[in-house]
C-alpha cells in the first residue's frame, strides 16, 4: 500500500496542478519493505526539509544546500523509523524556515490545495499541503514563529507545536535555537497527536530537551472539554479582525461552552510586543546560526581569490533575499552600540510575555482560544515585497514560541472556500489539554472543510 | 623622564580532558587531520553541543587553585566571527557571566614577594588549525583541535616588568601542574599567553594606551617580546609621539613583533547568550568538595618544608619544584627519619641521575622505598658513602634490592677488629721505616700507612676503625 | 531612528554578504521599515526579568555514559574541496600558501 504512495505523490506533483509540496520524493524502490512493528508501522509520513535524514537530501529550501546529504539523522526521524513509519519524502519550506508563505524557497513556492493561486502559509507549507492534499495522513514540520500552526490554518489541517524542550532539536537545522521546535501535522487531531507521541522525549544529544514523562495524547482525544476553563484573550480579537474569522471563532467558542467548558475573558497585555520582540530575537539568533554556512566544510561553494572573497561569494549566492534580510537585521541588532537598544529590550519584552502566560494560567485557566491567523490564505506574491505585512500574519502565533508553551491549530470552518484555523494555547507541558479541546472542535466543526 | 611599565596577561590553558568540551570526540594531538571530528565539532547543520562534566571539574579546580570566587551560575555566550578554523562561525565561550572572578597568584621574583590579581576565569572551546605550508597555493583546515576545552585566565594589569611577567607565568604553570588540570605544554599549544603592555610616567595613576602581543609560545619569548615592545613604546613616547592601540604578533624566528593586518583583526564579536546551552550551575557544596580535594599548593608546601623539615628556603624551593619531586623527597625523608640526608641525596645524586636518565620523580627508576633501603644501609655503616653512590647507579639499571647489590658487588665494609688488627700488623711489619718515622714524631706519615691498610683490605675496611686501630698500635 | 547606507554596508561586511547598489537601496529601506516597527519596544517601561528560557530546568552537563564516544564520520563526503584528509580553502588575504603537498 505504501509503495504506491510515493508513486501517487510523484504523479500528482508532476502535473500542472502540482502543489510543489515536496522537494524530494523517495523512489518507490527505496521504500523499505520490512518495517519495525511500531505504533506507526507502514504509515507514510512526510518530513520538512530542514530536518536531517540519512539517504535523502536535506536542502532547507536553500541553493546553498541544494545537494547536501546529512551524514547523520535527526533524533525525531530516527524515532519515526523505529516506530515503523515510512518516510515518503522531504517537504518544501521557506528557506531555512524563514517565512510565512513557503514562497521563499529556492525550489519554487508551494501551492494551497484549496486554491492553487494562494499560498500554503509557512514556513512548513509543504508538509501542510501534503497532508491537506491527502498524500500523507501526517507530517513533520518545525516552528520558530508559527510555522506549523499558520500553514495548518491556511491548509485546513491540524497542526501541533509542542512545549519547547518536548522534542529533540538534534538534526533540526537551527533558525532561532531558543524557539525552534519540531511540530506535527495531521489530517485529524488524532494523527497529529499520535505523531507527536512518537517523537516526544528527552534526548541526551540536545541539552535543551527536557526529561519529562511523555504525554498521553491519544488518551486525551476523548476527554472532552467538560469542566475546562478556556480563556479568551481580548488582544487576540481586535476590532480590526476580519468579521468572517471573528464569526467562526465565536461559533467555536459557543461549541466549547455547549460541551461544558467555562469561557473566561482574559488579557495578555504584552502580546502587542510579540512581533517586534520576535523580529529582534529570531534574526539575532539566526544571524549566528547561519554563520556556519561559509562554504568551507559543506554546501555549494562559490570560489573567490582569498578566503574572505570565497565566504562572501558563497553566502551571497547561496542565500535568498529573505534569509539575507534576516541575517542583516540580526547582525545589526547584536552589533556594538545597538545590542541594548534591540536585543536587550527584546529579551526583557520576552520576559513580560512569559509572565503574561504565567499570570493567566496561574488563575485556573486551562487553555486559551484565539484565531490562528488574522486572515485566510493570501494570494501568491501578495506580500513578497512587504516583509512587515508578511510578518504580521504570525501576530497571533509567535507569543507561544517566545514563551515556549504548546499550541495547536485546528480547522474551525471556511471563509469563501478557504480554511479558517482556531488556535488553542496550553500551559507548559500540557499538550494533552490542547489535544482534548482540538478533538472536540474537529468532531463538530470541520465537516465543511473536508 | 622615567616610565612605569604596566603589563596584564591573558592565558589560555588546554584542559587535560579525555573528550572535547561539547562533543564526544577524543582530544588528541598530532594525529592524522580531521580524524577526531563529528557533526558537533564540524558544525554540521542540525548538530548541537552538550557540556562535558570533566571539563567543568578541571576548570573549577583551576579557579580554586588561584583563589577565585566560583559563581553559582555562569552563562555560555557566542563570540561571532568568521575564520576557516572556526566551524560554526562562532566560538562558544563565557562573557558577561564567567565561571569565576577575583583571584590572585602570589609568587617571588628576585627575593621579593609579589601578588597578581586574577580578574576572571572562563571556559571556552578551542578552534581548529589553518595551515599554509601543506599545499601549493591553497590553505588547509584540520579540525581535530576544534572543540578542545580551554580555560582563559585574565589578570589585572599588576605586572611591572618583563622579568616579573615571566616569573608570574612560571609560578602559574607550577600551580596548574600541581593541581594537574593541564599538561601545560607550550610547544603543543596547551598553554598560550597574550600580553597587554603600556607605559606611563612614573607616579602617574592613569593607564597609558596599551598594545596586545599575541602568538608567543615560550616564557623566554614573552620576556623578549615585552622588552622589545616596551623599548618601541618608550621611543615613541619620548619622541613626543603617541601609542595607538593595536594587536602585535610575535615572530619567534625573527625575534620581532609585527602589527596584525587589519584583516586579521576583528571588530565586532556580537556576543550574546548561547541558546543551545543551559545556564551552568555549580552548587556551593560542589565547590566545597572541589576545594577540599585540592592538593597542597607549591608555596604552602615550600613553607612547610622549611618549618617541618628544617630545610633552607633554597633547598625547599628546589624540592617543591614539582609535586612529584616533593612527594619523592617526603617519602624518603619519612622512610629514613632524616630530612637533611634525604634532602642532600635527592637534590644531589638523585636529581643528577634523573636528569641524566631524562626521567622525573614520577617515572624515576629508583623508587623511594629502594632509596630508603640504601640510605638505611649507609646509616648503619654497612656501606660507605662512596659505595652507596655506586649502588644508586646500579639500582637505576636493575630492579634489585640494595642489599643484594651491596653483597654481590662485595661493597660491605669490614668492621671485624680481628681482621682489621691483622691487616694493621701486616702493614706495620712491611713498613718498619715509616713506623719509626711516625714514632719519631712525623705523624703526617699516618696517611700513608692508612692507605696501605685500606689497600690491603681492598677498600673494604671501615676507615674510621682502621684509623683508631693504627694510631693506637703505633703509639703503644 | 533610521539606518544609513554606510551602516548597512558595515553590517553586510560583518555578515559576509555582498550587496550591489540596488540591493543596498532595497535592504536599507527594508531594515528601516522593520526597525520602525521594532522601535515599539522602546515604550516598554521598567526592567523586568530577562526571559527565563524554557530549558532553565535542564541539567548543566551531559551524562558522559550516554555519549557514544567518537561517532565515526567521514567529513570528505560533504566537503566542497578536500585533499589528503584536509579541507582546502583559498588562503587569507596577503598569505602566501606554500608546500609540496607532502
Ligand atoms: Mg579566549
Ligand atoms: Zn566532535
Amino acid at each position: 500500500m505504501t509503495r504506491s504512495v510515493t508513486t501517487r505523490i510523484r504523479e500528482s506533483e508532476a502535473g500542472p496542478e502540482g502543489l510543489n509540496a515536496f522537494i524530494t520524493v523517495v523512489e518507490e524502490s527505496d521504500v523499505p519493505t520490512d518495517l519495525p512493528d511500531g505504533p506507526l508501522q507502514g504509515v507514510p509520513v512526510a518530513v520538512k526539509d530542514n530536518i536531517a535524514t540519512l539517504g535523502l537530501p536535506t536542502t532547507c529550501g536553500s541553493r546553498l544546500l541544494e545537494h547536501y546529504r546529512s551524514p547523520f539523522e535527526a533524533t525525531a526521524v530516527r524515532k519515526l523509523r523505529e516506530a515503523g513509519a515510512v518516510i515518503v519524502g522531504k517537504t518544501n519550506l521557506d528557506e531555512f524556515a524563514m517565512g510565512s508563505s513557503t514562497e521563499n524557497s529556492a525550489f519554487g513556492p508551494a501551492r494551497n490545495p484549496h486554491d492553487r493561486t494562494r499560498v500554503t502559509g509557512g514556513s512548513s507549507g509543504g508538509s501542510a499541503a501534503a497532508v491537506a492534499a491527502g498524500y500523507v495522513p501526517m507530517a513533520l514540520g518545525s516552528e520558530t514563529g508559527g510555522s506549523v500552526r499558520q500553514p495548518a490554518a491556511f491548509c485546513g489541517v491540524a497542526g501541533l507545536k509542542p512545549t519547547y524542550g518536548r522534542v529533540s532539536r538534534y538534526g533540526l537545522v537551527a533558525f532561532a535555537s531558543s524557539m525552534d521546535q519540531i511540530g506535527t501535522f495531521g489530517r485529524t487531531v488524532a494523527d497529529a497527536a499520535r505523531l507527536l507521541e512518537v517523537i516526544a522525549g528527552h534526548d541526551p544529544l540536545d541539552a535543551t530537551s527536557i526529561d519529562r514523562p511523555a504525554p498521553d495524547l491519544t488518551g486525551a482525544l476523548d476527554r472532552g472539554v467538560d469542566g475546562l476553563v478556556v480563556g479568551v484573550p481580548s488582544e487576540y480579537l481586535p476590532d480590526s479582525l476580519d468579521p468572517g474569522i471573528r464569526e467562526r471563532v465565536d461559533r467555536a467558542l459557543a461549541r466549547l461552552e455547549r460541551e461544558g467548558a467555562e469561557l473566561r475573558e482574559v488579557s495578555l497585555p504584552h502580546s502587542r510586543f510579540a512581533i517586534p520582540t520576535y523580529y529582534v530575537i529570531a534574526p539575532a539568533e539566526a544571524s549566528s546560526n547561519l554563520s556556519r554556512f561559509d562554504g568551507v566544510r559543506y554546501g555549494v561553494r562559490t570560489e573567490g581569490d582569498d578566503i574572505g572573497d570565497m565566504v562572501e561569494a558563497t553566502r551571497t549566492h547561496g542565500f535568498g533575499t529573505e534569509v539575507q534580510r534576516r541575517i542583516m537585521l540580526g547582525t545589526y541588532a547584536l552589533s556594538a552600540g545597538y545590542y541594548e537598544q534591540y536585543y536587550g529590550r527584546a529579551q526583557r519584552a520576552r520576559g513580560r510575555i512569559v509572565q503574561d502566560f504565567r499570570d493567566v494560567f496561574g488563575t485556573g485557566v486551562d487553555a486559551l482560544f484565539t484565531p490562528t491567523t488574522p486572515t485566510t490564505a493570501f494570494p501568491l506574491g501578495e506580500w513578497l515585497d512587504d516583509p512587515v505585512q508578511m510578518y504580521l500574519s504570525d501576530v497571533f502565533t509567535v507569543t507561544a514560541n517566545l514563551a515556549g508553551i504548546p499550541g495547536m491549530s485546528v480547522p474551525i470552518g471556511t471563509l469563501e472556500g478557504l480554511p479558517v484555523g482556531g488556535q488553542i494555547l496550553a500551559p507548559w507541558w500540557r499538550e494533552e489539554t490542547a489535544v482534548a479541546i482540538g478533538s472536540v472542535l474537529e468532531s463538530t466543526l470541520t465537516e465543511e472543510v473536508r | 623622564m622615567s616610565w612605569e611599565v604596566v603589563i596584564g596577561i591573558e592565558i589560555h590553558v588546554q584542559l587535560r580532558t579525555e573528550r572535547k568540551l561539547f562533543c564526544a570526540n577524543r582530544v588528541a594531538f598530532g594525529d592524522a587531520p580531521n580524524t577526531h571530528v563529528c557533526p558537533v565539532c564540524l558544525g554540521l547543520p542540525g548538530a548541537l553541543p552538550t557540556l562535558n562534566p570533566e571539563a567543568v571539574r578541571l576548570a573549577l579546580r583551576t579557579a580554586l587553585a588561584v583563589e577565585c570566587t566560583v559563581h553559582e551560575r555562569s552563562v555560555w555566550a557566542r563570540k561571532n566571527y568568521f575564520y576557516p578554523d572556526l566551524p560554526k562561525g562562532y566560538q562558544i565561550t563565557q562573557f558577561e557571566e564567567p565561571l569565576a572572578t577575583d583571584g590572585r597568584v602570589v609568587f617571588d621574583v628576585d627575593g621579593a614577594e609579589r601578588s597578581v590579581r586574577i580578574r576572571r576565569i572562563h571556559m571556552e572551546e578551542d578552534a581548529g588549525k589553518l595551515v599554509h605550508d601543506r599545499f601549493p597555493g591553497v590553505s588547509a583546515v584540520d579540525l581535530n583541535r576544534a572543540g578542545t576545552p580551554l580555560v582563559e585566565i585574565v589578570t589585572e594589569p599588576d605586572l611591572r616588568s618583563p622579568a616579573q611577567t615571566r616569573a608570574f607565568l612560571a609560578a602559574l604553570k607550577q600551580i596548574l601542574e600541581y593541581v594537574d588540570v593541564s599538561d601545560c605544554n607550550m610547544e603543543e599549544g596547551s598553554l598560550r599567553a597574550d600580553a597587554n603592555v603600556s607605559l606611563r610616567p612614573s607616579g602617574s595613576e592613569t593607564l597609558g594606551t596599551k598594545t596586545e602581543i599575541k602568538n608567543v609560545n615560550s616564557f623566554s619569548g614573552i620576556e623578549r617580546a615585552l622588552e622589545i615592545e616596551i623599548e618601541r613604546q618608550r621611543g615613541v613616547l619620548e619622541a613626543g609621539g603617541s601609542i595607538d592601540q593595536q594587536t602585535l604578533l610575535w615572530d619567534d624566528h625573527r625575534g620581532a613583533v609585527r602589527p596584525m593586518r587589519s584583516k586579521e583583526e576583528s571588530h565586532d564579536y556580537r556576543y550574546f547568550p548561547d541558546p543551545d546551552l543551559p545556564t551552568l550551575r555549580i552548587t556551593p557544596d560542589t565547590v566545597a568538595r572541589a576545594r577540599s580535594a585540592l592538593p597542597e599548593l607549591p608555596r604552602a608546601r615550600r613553607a612547610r618544608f622549611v618549618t617541618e623539615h628544617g630545610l633552607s628556603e633554597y633547598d625547599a624551593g628546589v624540592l617543591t619544584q614539582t609535586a612529584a619531586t616533593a612527594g619523592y623527597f617526603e617519602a624518603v625523608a619519612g622512610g629514613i627519619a632524616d630530612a637533611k640526608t634525604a634532602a642532600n641525596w635527592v637534590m644531589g645524586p638523585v636529581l643528577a641521575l634523573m636528569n641524566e636518565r631524562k626521567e622525573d620523580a614520577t617515572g624515576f627508576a629508583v623508587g623511594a622505598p629502594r632509596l630508603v633501603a640504601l640510605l638505611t644501609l649507609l646509616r648503619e655503616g654497612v656501606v660507605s658513602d662512596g659505595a652507596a653512590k655506586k649502588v644508586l647507579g646500579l639500582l637505576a639499571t636493575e630492579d634489585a634490592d640494595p642489599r643484594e647489590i651491596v653483597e654481590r658487588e662485595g661493597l660491605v665494609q669490614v668492621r671485624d677488629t680481628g681482621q682489621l688488627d691483622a691487616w694493621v700488623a701486616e702493614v706495620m711489619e712491611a713498613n718498619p721505616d715509616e713506623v719509626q718515622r711516625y714514632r719519631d714524631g712525623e705523624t703526617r706519615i699516618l696517611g700513608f700507612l692508612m692507605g696501605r691498610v685500606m689497600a690491603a683490605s681492598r677498600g673494604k675496611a671501615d676507615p674510621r676503625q682502621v684509623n683508631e686501630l693504627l694510631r693506637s698500635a703505633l703509639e703503644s | 531612528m533610521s539606518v544609513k547606507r554606510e551602516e548597512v554596508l558595515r553590517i553586510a561586511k560583518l555578515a559576509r554578504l555582498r550587496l550591489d547598489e540596488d540591493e543596498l537601496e532595497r535592504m536599507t529601506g527594508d531594515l528601516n521599515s522593520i526597525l520602525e516597527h521594532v522601535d515599539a519596544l522602546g515604550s516598554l517601561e521598567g526592567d523586568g526579568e530577562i526571559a527565563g528560557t524554557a530549558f532553565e530546568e535542564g541539567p548543566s552537563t551531559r551524562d558522559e555514559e550516554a555519549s557514544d564516544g567518537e561517532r565515526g564520520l567521514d567529513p570528505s563526503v560533504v566537503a566542497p574541496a578536500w585533499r589528503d584528509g584536509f579541507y582546502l580553502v583559498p588562503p587569507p588575504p596577503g598569505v602566501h600558501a606554500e608546500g609540496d603537498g607532502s
Side-chain angles (χ1 to χ4, degrees):
Chain A
M1 155 257 163
T2 12
R3 293 188 140 278
S4 53
V5 170
T6 60
T7 311
R8 222 181 91 239
I9 296 172
R10 286 180 175 289
E11 286 159 4
S12 337
E13 286 285 271
E17 290 296 273
L19 302 173
N20 200 26
F22 285 83
I23 291 172
T24 307
V25 179
V26 171
E27 292 292 341
E28 194 170 304
S29 54
D30 294 344
V31 174
T33 44
D34 54 343
L35 298 161
D37 171 13
L40 296 181
Q41 189 177 37
V43 177
V45 178
V47 175
K48 189 179 182 181
D49 207 22
N50 62 344
I51 302 173
T53 45
L54 286 170
L56 291 170
T58 299
T59 69
C60 297
S62 179
R63 280 275 161 248
L64 206 151
L65 292 180
E66 189 165 0
H67 311 294
Y68 179 71
R69 283 169 179 265
S70 177
F72 71 100
E73 189 154 78
T75 300
V77 173
R78 178 176 52 78
K79 289 185 166 197
L80 274 187
R81 297 194 196 270
E82 287 165 3
V86 176
I87 291 160
V88 300
K90 303 295 292 291
T91 58
N92 203 356
L93 71 162
D94 288 298
E95 184 178 8
F96 290 103
M98 296 180 186
S100 308
S101 68
T102 315
E103 292 169 291
N104 306 325
S105 166
F107 308 101
R111 292 178 207 82
N112 193 312
H114 296 269
D115 176 348
R116 282 161 163 71
T117 67
R118 291 175 180 269
V119 301
T120 55
S123 63
S124 313
S127 289
V131 171
Y135 294 155
V136 286
M138 51 182 79
L140 291 186
S142 74
E143 272 218 11
T144 305
S147 284
V148 165
R149 288 163 290 158
Q150 186 254 21
F154 280 12
C155 294
V157 298
L160 177 52
K161 194 286 281 192
T163 309
Y164 184 88
R166 176 69 87 187
V167 177
S168 170
R169 294 188 294 120
Y170 195 78
L172 168 64
V173 179
F175 162 12
S177 314
S178 73
M179 290 179 276
D180 292 345
Q181 192 66 186
I182 292 176
T184 62
F185 291 93
R187 290 223 72 187
T188 63
V189 170
D191 288 336
R194 282 168 66 212
L195 185 52
L196 179 55
E197 275 182 340
V198 166
I199 62 170
H202 174 64
D203 178 7
L205 297 180
D206 174 4
T208 68
S209 88
I210 305 302
D211 199 353
R212 289 244 180 179
D216 174 17
L217 300 182
T218 41
L221 288 166
D222 313 317
R223 183 215 175 280
V225 295
D226 190 27
L228 290 181
V229 178
V230 176
V232 184
S234 48
E235 293 81 2
Y236 291 68
L237 296 168
D239 301 340
S240 57
L241 183 64
D242 181 316
I245 290 180
R246 173 73 200 232
E247 192 272 331
R248 306 279 178 304
V249 170
D250 291 339
R251 215 146 48 90
L253 287 167
R255 164 62 60 170
L256 291 175
E257 199 163 26
R258 229 170 309 133
E259 298 288 325
E262 176 198 329
L263 303 185
R264 192 182 296 175
E265 175 151 340
V266 298
S267 173
L268 298 162
H270 294 92
S271 298
R272 63 194 162 93
F273 292 112
I275 290 290
T277 301
Y278 179 84
Y279 279 96
V280 170
I281 292 176
E285 293 184 17
S287 69
S288 176
N289 281 331
L290 271 61
S291 293
R292 66 187 58 198
F293 300 103
D294 58 3
V296 172
R297 296 164 312 286
Y298 46 80
V300 178
R301 176 188 290 189
T302 307
E303 286 304 340
D305 305 346
D306 61 45
I307 182 66
D309 292 343
M310 185 279 274
V311 174
E312 224 174 68
T314 295
R315 293 168 60 81
T316 304
H317 295 116
F319 292 141
T321 310
E322 181 61 20
V323 169
Q324 295 198 29
R325 200 184 277 141
R326 298 208 194 182
I327 290 174
M328 289 291 292
L329 185 56
T331 305
Y332 180 74
L334 289 174
S335 65
Y338 300 102
Y339 181 91
E340 183 42 41
Q341 179 182 356
Y342 292 110
Y343 191 79
R345 278 178 181 171
Q347 284 290 73
R348 275 195 295 283
R350 186 178 185 178
R352 301 289 188 86
I353 288 164
V354 171
Q355 194 54 48
D356 279 358
F357 284 110
R358 283 209 197 101
D359 294 344
V360 168
F361 291 129
T363 61
V365 171
D366 296 297
L368 304 168
F369 188 80
T370 80
T372 309
T373 54
T375 68
T376 53
F378 44 85
L380 287 157
E382 173 123 309
W383 288 340
L384 266 186
D385 299 325
D386 189 346
V388 173
Q389 273 312 311
M390 183 74 85
Y391 298 170
L392 285 174
S393 82
D394 288 311
V395 65
F396 299 147
T397 45
V398 293
T399 49
N401 305 92
L402 288 164
I405 59 171
M408 182 166 199
S409 179
V410 290
I412 56 168
T414 58
L415 188 58
E416 291 145 10
L418 295 172
V420 174
Q423 170 172 250
I424 306 142
L425 300 176
W428 294 268
W429 311 110
R430 302 304 305 279
E431 286 84 356
E432 64 271 26
T433 310
V435 167
I437 296 171
S439 69
V440 162
L441 292 174
E442 164 180 74
S443 62
T444 55
L445 292 173
T446 57
E447 296 73 16
E448 58 177 299
V449 185
R450 302 266 155 75
Chain B
M1 92 193 284
S2 79
W3 301 90
E4 181 180 41
V5 174
V6 178
I7 299 169
I9 300 285
E10 288 173 16
I11 309 99
H12 285 88
V13 182
Q14 193 183 104
L15 295 174
R16 191 190 36 69
T17 56
E18 183 194 356
R19 292 175 174 177
K20 293 184 178 183
L21 184 53
F22 295 115
C23 67
N25 285 116
R26 304 227 172 287
V27 174
F29 180 85
D31 286 9
N34 296 304
T35 51
H36 299 284
V37 292
C38 74
V40 179
C41 56
L42 291 177
L44 295 189
L48 292 171
T50 54
L51 179 58
N52 179 349
E54 188 190 2
V56 176
R57 278 194 294 276
L58 295 182
L60 174 56
R61 227 170 132 75
T62 309
L64 294 174
V66 295
E67 300 173 43
C68 278
T69 305
V70 174
H71 299 294
E72 269 190 65
R73 57 192 308 285
S74 56
V75 174
W76 297 101
R78 293 183 181 182
K79 180 182 185 180
N80 296 283
Y81 66 94
F82 287 90
Y83 209 64
D85 65 5
L86 187 71
K88 302 183 294 299
Y90 58 84
Q91 177 194 36
I92 304 177
T93 177
Q94 298 182 309
F95 185 56
E96 279 180 345
E97 296 179 71
L99 176 75
T101 52
D102 305 312
R104 64 178 196 136
V105 170
V106 180
F107 65 105
D108 298 282
V109 54
D110 37 46
E113 178 178 290
R114 280 203 71 89
S115 163
V116 167
R117 290 167 299 158
I118 303 297
R119 178 181 298 163
R120 58 182 277 148
I121 293 185
H122 68 257
M123 302 175 70
E124 61 186 26
E125 60 178 342
D126 205 345
K129 283 185 180 147
L130 178 64
V131 298
H132 311 298
D133 57 0
R134 196 72 175 65
F135 306 110
V138 299
S139 300
V141 182
D142 172 15
L143 296 176
N144 280 347
R145 198 182 66 184
T148 302
L150 306 175
V151 286
E152 179 173 338
I153 304 172
V154 182
T155 76
E156 297 291 347
D158 290 349
L159 292 156
R160 292 293 173 267
S161 76
Q164 259 179 38
T165 305
R166 184 177 184 167
F168 159 74
L169 287 169
L172 179 66
K173 180 168 184 273
Q174 190 186 27
I175 292 170
L176 296 174
E177 283 166 344
Y178 259 66
V179 296
D180 196 24
V181 294
S182 171
D183 54 28
C184 297
N185 182 329
M186 290 195 94
E187 293 67 46
E188 293 184 7
S190 51
L191 197 68
R192 285 169 297 192
D194 305 333
N196 295 302
V197 56
S198 65
L199 269 56
R200 64 183 172 192
S202 305
S204 153
E205 280 310 305
T206 55
L207 289 167
T209 310
K210 69 181 182 207
T211 57
E212 183 178 20
I213 306 173
K214 282 186 177 293
N215 198 36
V216 201
N217 59 6
S218 73
F219 289 168
S220 55
I222 287 171
E223 195 172 8
R224 279 167 62 223
L226 281 169
E227 279 159 357
I228 290 166
E229 172 58 8
I230 287 165
E231 277 327 296
R232 187 191 71 86
Q233 287 193 20
R234 192 194 307 276
V236 172
L237 292 169
E238 283 176 351
S242 68
I243 306 300
D244 40 7
Q245 184 147 6
Q246 61 177 328
T247 303
L248 304 161
L249 287 182
W250 171 246
D251 182 332
D252 210 35
H253 313 297
R254 293 177 36 242
V257 291
R258 65 167 175 87
M260 232 183 188
R261 283 184 302 275
S262 62
K263 277 268 171 136
E264 299 169 77
E265 208 152 2
S266 176
H267 307 291
D268 188 344
Y269 288 126
R270 289 158 286 137
Y271 287 97
F272 75 104
D274 190 333
D276 286 332
L277 289 159
T279 301
L280 174 56
R281 296 175 186 287
I282 301 178
T283 64
D285 68 278
T286 306
V287 174
R289 267 185 276 107
R291 184 175 277 114
S292 58
L294 277 185
E296 187 179 26
L297 295 178
R299 288 181 64 82
R301 200 162 200 180
R302 201 177 83 197
R304 186 168 60 78
F305 277 19
V306 171
T307 52
E308 189 176 310
H309 298 307
L311 303 179
S312 72
E313 276 289 339
Y314 176 81
D315 292 2
V318 175
L319 290 170
T320 53
Q321 199 39 248
T322 73
T325 311
Y328 186 88
F329 160 76
E330 290 210 279
V332 175
I336 60 168
D338 175 358
K340 194 84 207 87
T341 307
N344 292 337
W345 272 76
V346 174
M347 291 170 63
V350 169
L351 283 180
L353 189 57
M354 280 183 196
N355 297 340
E356 175 187 321
R357 300 174 54 87
K358 294 176 181 48
E359 294 171 341
D360 68 359
T362 327
F364 185 43
V366 186
R370 290 203 300 156
L371 182 59
V372 167
L374 174 59
L375 295 183
T376 308
L377 293 177
L378 176 63
R379 191 186 57 227
E380 292 166 348
V382 175
V383 288
S384 66
D385 198 76
K389 294 200 168 70
K390 183 166 173 223
V391 173
L392 177 65
L394 294 169
L395 287 174
T397 57
E398 55 182 303
D399 181 22
D401 171 73
R403 182 170 286 278
E404 289 168 26
I405 294 181
V406 167
E407 275 155 10
R408 189 189 68 214
E409 301 290 315
L411 296 170
V412 181
Q413 292 193 110
V414 175
R415 297 152 74 204
D416 149 38
T417 36
Q419 171 66 76
L420 295 177
D421 283 334
W423 280 326
V424 169
E426 179 190 321
V427 167
M428 285 174 68
E429 251 177 71
N431 303 278
D433 305 3
E434 285 75 9
V435 170
Q436 192 51 51
R437 280 160 63 186
Y438 179 90
R439 289 180 171 152
D440 296 345
E442 191 185 338
T443 51
R444 287 184 298 100
I445 206 84
L446 181 70
F448 167 78
L449 293 164
M450 275 286 303
R452 309 306 301 173
V453 176
M454 291 309 287
S457 77
R458 273 176 278 97
K460 293 188 204 170
D462 172 357
R464 250 178 294 99
Q465 277 172 294
V466 171
N467 184 291
E468 284 159 26
L469 293 172
L470 189 59
R471 201 184 274 112
S472 58
L474 287 165
E475 281 156 20
S476 62
Chain C
M1 64 150 292
S2 80
V3 191
K4 309 268 168 297
R5 300 168 84 266
E6 302 64 44
E7 192 73 348
V8 176
L9 275 177
R10 184 181 73 84
I11 298 300
K13 266 217 143 325
L14 263 181
R16 295 290 193 279
L17 295 171
R18 209 174 276 154
L19 300 175
D20 64 32
E21 267 312 306
D22 330 355
E23 290 166 330
L24 178 57
E25 259 340 295
R26 179 131 161 275
M27 186 66 78
T28 309
D30 291 350
L31 291 186
N32 278 310
S33 60
I34 298 165
L35 290 170
E36 194 180 306
H37 216 75
V38 164
D39 285 332
L41 292 175
S43 68
L44 187 81
E45 312 82 9
D47 285 1
E49 76 171 302
I50 300 297
T53 38
F55 49 74
E56 282 297 310
E57 68 179 86
S60 305
T61 59
R62 70 182 177 227
D63 169 3
E64 273 297 44
E65 280 54 53
S67 85
D68 51 1
E70 299 206 77
R71 267 162 273 142
L73 176 111
D74 174 5
S76 68
V77 299
V78 291
W82 180 269
R83 196 192 307 171
D84 303 347
F86 289 94
Y87 295 98
L88 300 184
V89 293
V95 172
H96 177 60
E98 295 157 326
D100 49 14
S102 64

